[in-house]
Amino acid sequence: MSTDSMTLNKLLILYMLDKVDFPLTNSQISEFILGKGYASYFTLQEAFNDLADTELIQTETQYSSSFYTLTKSGEETLSDFIGRIPDTIREEIDRFLSEHSYHMRNENEYTADYFRDGTNRYIVTCSVRSRRDMLSKIVMNVPDEETAQTVCDNWKKNYEDIYVYLAQKLLSK
């Protein structure tokens, strides 16, 4: 892969992150870049790693998802090199984000995931975000995978009610 195409891939990631006011996941960014054929999967992952290593993006990992945000250095770098992204590609990104940002934001505002710990029990993590801020994170230890999946499913269906209920109970005097 040429240096120019790797640079373009990095700039595309920076540009996408700059255009939203909430973190994007690896899969959300990949959906656009891979879908348009601008990079291969492995090349794109290398671009993510390089950007994180040079602290142009910040990564927050929650079990099976990586959430990316643009750092101040990333904003400055994009500002310096935005002219290297062809206008047509910027327009495609703008259109993609315009069409998908509501769904992407909602998809990222509440998450639920689980993993098996070393004692054959499962740890479930349910969280609520607002834009770039973590509002709430609940971590539960459950006895089996079926229960873990049930908790995740119920969180996805009822997260708003659960969050409001917890906030009311915890904030009342």
Side-chain angles (χ1 to χ4, degrees):
M1 156 159 277
S2 76
T3 304
D4 287 343
S5 55
M6 178 56 86
T7 299
L8 178 61
N9 291 327
K10 291 177 186 178
L11 289 170
L12 296 180
I13 294 168
L14 296 177
Y15 185 80
M16 290 183 78
L17 292 173
D18 185 57
K19 288 297 189 175
V20 296
D21 60 355
F22 55 94
L24 291 175
T25 64
N26 185 303
S27 63
Q28 290 170 330
I29 295 169
S30 297
E31 178 183 347
F32 174 79
I33 295 175
L34 298 177
K36 292 291 184 177
Y38 293 129
S40 70
Y41 174 80
F42 295 108
T43 301
L44 187 57
Q45 298 316 305
E46 183 180 350
F48 278 116
N49 290 334
D50 288 353
L51 290 169
D53 290 346
T54 56
E55 299 181 354
L56 298 179
I57 61 173
Q58 181 177 354
T59 307
E60 180 185 335
T61 303
Q62 290 184 0
Y63 303 109
S64 64
S65 295
S66 294
F67 293 86
Y68 299 102
T69 54
L70 194 59
T71 65
K72 186 70 174 157
S73 297
E75 289 174 15
E76 292 167 1
T77 299
L78 178 62
S79 176
D80 291 343
F81 296 101
I82 195 165
R84 291 189 181 187
I85 304 173
D87 290 342
T88 55
I89 296 176
R90 279 189 270 163
E91 290 167 6
E92 287 177 337
I93 292 171
D94 293 344
R95 194 169 33 257
F96 175 82
L97 291 174
S98 174
E99 292 170 2
H100 296 93
S101 66
Y102 179 78
H103 171 73
M104 290 188 298
R105 176 180 290 151
N106 285 344
E107 187 176 72
N108 294 349
E109 282 187 342
Y110 66 93
T111 58
D113 202 357
Y114 65 89
F115 68 94
R116 188 172 165 180
D117 74 2
T119 63
N120 292 329
R121 295 181 62 83
Y122 289 80
I123 307 296
V124 180
T125 302
C126 303
S127 62
V128 177
R129 312 170 126 351
S130 175
R131 304 199 186 270
R132 296 177 189 242
D133 299 321
M134 178 66 70
L135 298 178
S136 176
K137 184 185 256 186
I138 301 168
V139 180
M140 297 176 62
N141 191 326
V142 297
D144 54 50
E145 187 171 15
E146 182 179 345
T147 304
Q149 186 61 52
T150 299
V151 170
C152 289
D153 292 344
N154 285 333
W155 179 256
K156 290 174 183 174
K157 286 185 235 172
N158 302 304
Y159 73 94
E160 289 178 278
D161 294 336
I162 296 167
Y163 177 74
V164 168
Y165 173 80
L166 286 173
Q168 288 174 343
K169 289 295 184 184
L170 294 172
L171 297 173
S172 66
K173 294 186 180 197

PDB file of all heavy atoms in Angstrom, residues 33 37 51 64 75 86 88 95-96 101 116 127 137 141 145 147 161 166 170 173:
ATOM      1  N   ILE A  33     -15.895   3.273   4.887  1.00  0.00           N
ATOM      2  CA  ILE A  33     -14.612   3.185   4.175  1.00  0.00           C
ATOM      3  C   ILE A  33     -14.481   1.871   3.408  1.00  0.00           C
ATOM      4  O   ILE A  33     -14.080   1.867   2.241  1.00  0.00           O
ATOM      5  CB  ILE A  33     -13.434   3.403   5.150  1.00  0.00           C
ATOM      6  CG1 ILE A  33     -13.483   4.839   5.691  1.00  0.00           C
ATOM      7  CG2 ILE A  33     -12.097   3.126   4.464  1.00  0.00           C
ATOM      8  CD1 ILE A  33     -12.454   5.159   6.762  1.00  0.00           C
ATOM      9  N   GLY A  37     -14.803   0.920  -0.766  1.00  0.00           N
ATOM     10  CA  GLY A  37     -13.601   0.318  -1.352  1.00  0.00           C
ATOM     11  C   GLY A  37     -12.354   1.176  -1.222  1.00  0.00           C
ATOM     12  O   GLY A  37     -11.389   0.981  -1.963  1.00  0.00           O
ATOM     13  N   LEU A  51      -3.207   5.896  14.149  1.00  0.00           N
ATOM     14  CA  LEU A  51      -3.821   7.108  14.687  1.00  0.00           C
ATOM     15  C   LEU A  51      -3.876   7.078  16.212  1.00  0.00           C
ATOM     16  O   LEU A  51      -3.646   8.099  16.870  1.00  0.00           O
ATOM     17  CB  LEU A  51      -5.228   7.307  14.117  1.00  0.00           C
ATOM     18  CG  LEU A  51      -5.297   7.686  12.641  1.00  0.00           C
ATOM     19  CD1 LEU A  51      -6.738   7.592  12.132  1.00  0.00           C
ATOM     20  CD2 LEU A  51      -4.746   9.088  12.417  1.00  0.00           C
ATOM     21  N   SER A  64     -16.605  -5.745  23.430  1.00  0.00           N
ATOM     22  CA  SER A  64     -16.513  -6.110  22.014  1.00  0.00           C
ATOM     23  C   SER A  64     -16.530  -4.906  21.072  1.00  0.00           C
ATOM     24  O   SER A  64     -16.518  -5.083  19.869  1.00  0.00           O
ATOM     25  CB  SER A  64     -17.661  -7.053  21.650  1.00  0.00           C
ATOM     26  OG  SER A  64     -18.895  -6.384  21.796  1.00  0.00           O
ATOM     27  N   GLU A  75      -7.582  17.016  15.581  1.00  0.00           N
ATOM     28  CA  GLU A  75      -8.262  18.152  14.951  1.00  0.00           C
ATOM     29  C   GLU A  75      -7.262  19.037  14.214  1.00  0.00           C
ATOM     30  O   GLU A  75      -7.514  19.468  13.086  1.00  0.00           O
ATOM     31  CB  GLU A  75      -8.981  18.996  16.012  1.00  0.00           C
ATOM     32  CG  GLU A  75     -10.192  18.341  16.607  1.00  0.00           C
ATOM     33  CD  GLU A  75     -10.783  19.157  17.753  1.00  0.00           C
ATOM     34  OE1 GLU A  75     -10.431  20.344  17.911  1.00  0.00           O
ATOM     35  OE2 GLU A  75     -11.603  18.594  18.496  1.00  0.00           O
ATOM     36  N   PRO A  86     -10.124  14.454  -1.318  1.00  0.00           N
ATOM     37  CA  PRO A  86     -10.868  14.999  -2.460  1.00  0.00           C
ATOM     38  C   PRO A  86     -12.271  15.459  -2.057  1.00  0.00           C
ATOM     39  O   PRO A  86     -12.927  14.832  -1.211  1.00  0.00           O
ATOM     40  CB  PRO A  86     -10.933  13.816  -3.436  1.00  0.00           C
ATOM     41  CG  PRO A  86      -9.766  12.954  -3.062  1.00  0.00           C
ATOM     42  CD  PRO A  86      -9.628  13.095  -1.581  1.00  0.00           C
ATOM     43  N   THR A  88     -15.033  15.215  -3.533  1.00  0.00           N
ATOM     44  CA  THR A  88     -16.078  14.209  -3.779  1.00  0.00           C
ATOM     45  C   THR A  88     -16.176  13.223  -2.612  1.00  0.00           C
ATOM     46  O   THR A  88     -17.276  12.806  -2.243  1.00  0.00           O
ATOM     47  CB  THR A  88     -15.813  13.427  -5.079  1.00  0.00           C
ATOM     48  OG1 THR A  88     -14.502  12.861  -5.029  1.00  0.00           O
ATOM     49  CG2 THR A  88     -15.957  14.325  -6.302  1.00  0.00           C
ATOM     50  N   ARG A  95     -22.708  13.062   3.262  1.00  0.00           N
ATOM     51  CA  ARG A  95     -24.001  12.465   2.915  1.00  0.00           C
ATOM     52  C   ARG A  95     -24.247  11.199   3.759  1.00  0.00           C
ATOM     53  O   ARG A  95     -25.327  11.013   4.315  1.00  0.00           O
ATOM     54  CB  ARG A  95     -24.040  12.139   1.419  1.00  0.00           C
ATOM     55  CG  ARG A  95     -25.404  11.828   0.864  1.00  0.00           C
ATOM     56  CD  ARG A  95     -25.470  11.758  -0.662  1.00  0.00           C
ATOM     57  NE  ARG A  95     -24.282  11.272  -1.343  1.00  0.00           N
ATOM     58  CZ  ARG A  95     -23.389  12.057  -1.987  1.00  0.00           C
ATOM     59  NH1 ARG A  95     -23.540  13.363  -2.010  1.00  0.00           N
ATOM     60  NH2 ARG A  95     -22.353  11.524  -2.595  1.00  0.00           N
ATOM     61  N   PHE A  96     -23.225  10.357   3.875  1.00  0.00           N
ATOM     62  CA  PHE A  96     -23.332   9.129   4.670  1.00  0.00           C
ATOM     63  C   PHE A  96     -23.681   9.460   6.116  1.00  0.00           C
ATOM     64  O   PHE A  96     -24.586   8.868   6.704  1.00  0.00           O
ATOM     65  CB  PHE A  96     -22.014   8.344   4.600  1.00  0.00           C
ATOM     66  CG  PHE A  96     -21.978   7.130   5.483  1.00  0.00           C
ATOM     67  CD1 PHE A  96     -22.545   5.936   5.069  1.00  0.00           C
ATOM     68  CD2 PHE A  96     -21.365   7.174   6.736  1.00  0.00           C
ATOM     69  CE1 PHE A  96     -22.512   4.806   5.877  1.00  0.00           C
ATOM     70  CE2 PHE A  96     -21.330   6.059   7.550  1.00  0.00           C
ATOM     71  CZ  PHE A  96     -21.907   4.871   7.121  1.00  0.00           C
ATOM     72  N   SER A 101     -26.319   9.264  10.879  1.00  0.00           N
ATOM     73  CA  SER A 101     -25.844   9.693  12.195  1.00  0.00           C
ATOM     74  C   SER A 101     -26.870   9.495  13.306  1.00  0.00           C
ATOM     75  O   SER A 101     -26.510   9.146  14.427  1.00  0.00           O
ATOM     76  CB  SER A 101     -25.346  11.135  12.177  1.00  0.00           C
ATOM     77  OG  SER A 101     -26.393  12.020  11.921  1.00  0.00           O
ATOM     78  N   ARG A 116     -17.249 -13.966  29.934  1.00  0.00           N
ATOM     79  CA  ARG A 116     -17.097 -14.999  30.956  1.00  0.00           C
ATOM     80  C   ARG A 116     -15.855 -14.682  31.775  1.00  0.00           C
ATOM     81  O   ARG A 116     -14.783 -14.430  31.224  1.00  0.00           O
ATOM     82  CB  ARG A 116     -16.955 -16.345  30.263  1.00  0.00           C
ATOM     83  CG  ARG A 116     -16.976 -17.510  31.167  1.00  0.00           C
ATOM     84  CD  ARG A 116     -17.025 -18.759  30.333  1.00  0.00           C
ATOM     85  NE  ARG A 116     -16.695 -19.891  31.152  1.00  0.00           N
ATOM     86  CZ  ARG A 116     -16.644 -21.117  30.712  1.00  0.00           C
ATOM     87  NH1 ARG A 116     -16.893 -21.359  29.436  1.00  0.00           N
ATOM     88  NH2 ARG A 116     -16.350 -22.097  31.507  1.00  0.00           N
ATOM     89  N   SER A 127     -24.396   0.205  29.714  1.00  0.00           N
ATOM     90  CA  SER A 127     -24.013   1.606  29.861  1.00  0.00           C
ATOM     91  C   SER A 127     -24.916   2.524  29.035  1.00  0.00           C
ATOM     92  O   SER A 127     -25.548   2.101  28.073  1.00  0.00           O
ATOM     93  CB  SER A 127     -22.560   1.804  29.454  1.00  0.00           C
ATOM     94  OG  SER A 127     -22.369   1.473  28.107  1.00  0.00           O
ATOM     95  N   LYS A 137     -22.913   3.399  34.079  1.00  0.00           N
ATOM     96  CA  LYS A 137     -22.398   2.075  33.725  1.00  0.00           C
ATOM     97  C   LYS A 137     -22.764   1.134  34.864  1.00  0.00           C
ATOM     98  O   LYS A 137     -22.471   1.412  36.023  1.00  0.00           O
ATOM     99  CB  LYS A 137     -20.889   2.123  33.545  1.00  0.00           C
ATOM    100  CG  LYS A 137     -20.294   0.803  33.091  1.00  0.00           C
ATOM    101  CD  LYS A 137     -18.783   0.879  33.039  1.00  0.00           C
ATOM    102  CE  LYS A 137     -18.319   0.995  31.631  1.00  0.00           C
ATOM    103  NZ  LYS A 137     -16.861   0.939  31.520  1.00  0.00           N
ATOM    104  N   ASN A 141     -22.700  -9.347  37.954  1.00  0.00           N
ATOM    105  CA  ASN A 141     -22.185 -10.703  37.906  1.00  0.00           C
ATOM    106  C   ASN A 141     -23.388 -11.629  37.854  1.00  0.00           C
ATOM    107  O   ASN A 141     -24.250 -11.556  38.725  1.00  0.00           O
ATOM    108  CB  ASN A 141     -21.351 -10.944  39.181  1.00  0.00           C
ATOM    109  CG  ASN A 141     -20.561 -12.213  39.119  1.00  0.00           C
ATOM    110  OD1 ASN A 141     -20.997 -13.201  38.536  1.00  0.00           O
ATOM    111  ND2 ASN A 141     -19.414 -12.208  39.748  1.00  0.00           N
ATOM    112  N   GLU A 145     -24.565 -17.913  30.927  1.00  0.00           N
ATOM    113  CA  GLU A 145     -24.630 -17.146  29.685  1.00  0.00           C
ATOM    114  C   GLU A 145     -26.064 -16.786  29.308  1.00  0.00           C
ATOM    115  O   GLU A 145     -26.323 -15.694  28.801  1.00  0.00           O
ATOM    116  CB  GLU A 145     -23.956 -17.910  28.554  1.00  0.00           C
ATOM    117  CG  GLU A 145     -23.845 -17.100  27.285  1.00  0.00           C
ATOM    118  CD  GLU A 145     -22.993 -17.766  26.216  1.00  0.00           C
ATOM    119  OE1 GLU A 145     -22.715 -18.970  26.320  1.00  0.00           O
ATOM    120  OE2 GLU A 145     -22.624 -17.045  25.269  1.00  0.00           O
ATOM    121  N   THR A 147     -28.542 -16.080  31.281  1.00  0.00           N
ATOM    122  CA  THR A 147     -28.928 -14.924  32.092  1.00  0.00           C
ATOM    123  C   THR A 147     -28.233 -13.669  31.585  1.00  0.00           C
ATOM    124  O   THR A 147     -28.844 -12.591  31.501  1.00  0.00           O
ATOM    125  CB  THR A 147     -28.589 -15.171  33.572  1.00  0.00           C
ATOM    126  OG1 THR A 147     -29.235 -16.376  34.001  1.00  0.00           O
ATOM    127  CG2 THR A 147     -29.031 -14.011  34.443  1.00  0.00           C
ATOM    128  N   ASP A 161     -36.106   3.476  30.522  1.00  0.00           N
ATOM    129  CA  ASP A 161     -36.884   3.337  31.757  1.00  0.00           C
ATOM    130  C   ASP A 161     -35.980   2.968  32.933  1.00  0.00           C
ATOM    131  O   ASP A 161     -36.133   3.499  34.035  1.00  0.00           O
ATOM    132  CB  ASP A 161     -37.976   2.274  31.600  1.00  0.00           C
ATOM    133  CG  ASP A 161     -39.048   2.667  30.593  1.00  0.00           C
ATOM    134  OD1 ASP A 161     -39.223   3.884  30.350  1.00  0.00           O
ATOM    135  OD2 ASP A 161     -39.693   1.751  30.046  1.00  0.00           O
ATOM    136  N   LEU A 166     -33.312   4.406  37.947  1.00  0.00           N
ATOM    137  CA  LEU A 166     -32.107   4.454  38.785  1.00  0.00           C
ATOM    138  C   LEU A 166     -31.764   5.882  39.187  1.00  0.00           C
ATOM    139  O   LEU A 166     -31.430   6.148  40.340  1.00  0.00           O
ATOM    140  CB  LEU A 166     -30.928   3.810  38.068  1.00  0.00           C
ATOM    141  CG  LEU A 166     -30.930   2.282  37.975  1.00  0.00           C
ATOM    142  CD1 LEU A 166     -29.785   1.820  37.088  1.00  0.00           C
ATOM    143  CD2 LEU A 166     -30.827   1.676  39.355  1.00  0.00           C
ATOM    144  N   LEU A 170     -31.646   7.070  42.989  1.00  0.00           N
ATOM    145  CA  LEU A 170     -30.340   7.442  43.529  1.00  0.00           C
ATOM    146  C   LEU A 170     -30.219   8.932  43.854  1.00  0.00           C
ATOM    147  O   LEU A 170     -29.431   9.306  44.724  1.00  0.00           O
ATOM    148  CB  LEU A 170     -29.235   7.030  42.546  1.00  0.00           C
ATOM    149  CG  LEU A 170     -29.076   5.524  42.351  1.00  0.00           C
ATOM    150  CD1 LEU A 170     -28.092   5.240  41.227  1.00  0.00           C
ATOM    151  CD2 LEU A 170     -28.628   4.858  43.648  1.00  0.00           C
ATOM    152  N   LYS A 173     -33.855  12.436  47.865  1.00  0.00           N
ATOM    153  CA  LYS A 173     -33.368  12.607  49.250  1.00  0.00           C
ATOM    154  C   LYS A 173     -34.343  11.996  50.226  1.00  0.00           C
ATOM    155  O   LYS A 173     -35.471  11.844  50.053  1.00  0.00           O
ATOM    156  CB  LYS A 173     -33.167  14.074  49.563  1.00  0.00           C
ATOM    157  CG  LYS A 173     -32.049  14.640  48.734  1.00  0.00           C
ATOM    158  CD  LYS A 173     -31.760  16.051  49.153  1.00  0.00           C
ATOM    159  CE  LYS A 173     -30.621  16.573  48.288  1.00  0.00           C
ATOM    160  NZ  LYS A 173     -29.990  17.722  48.785  1.00  0.00           N
TER     161      LYS A 173
END
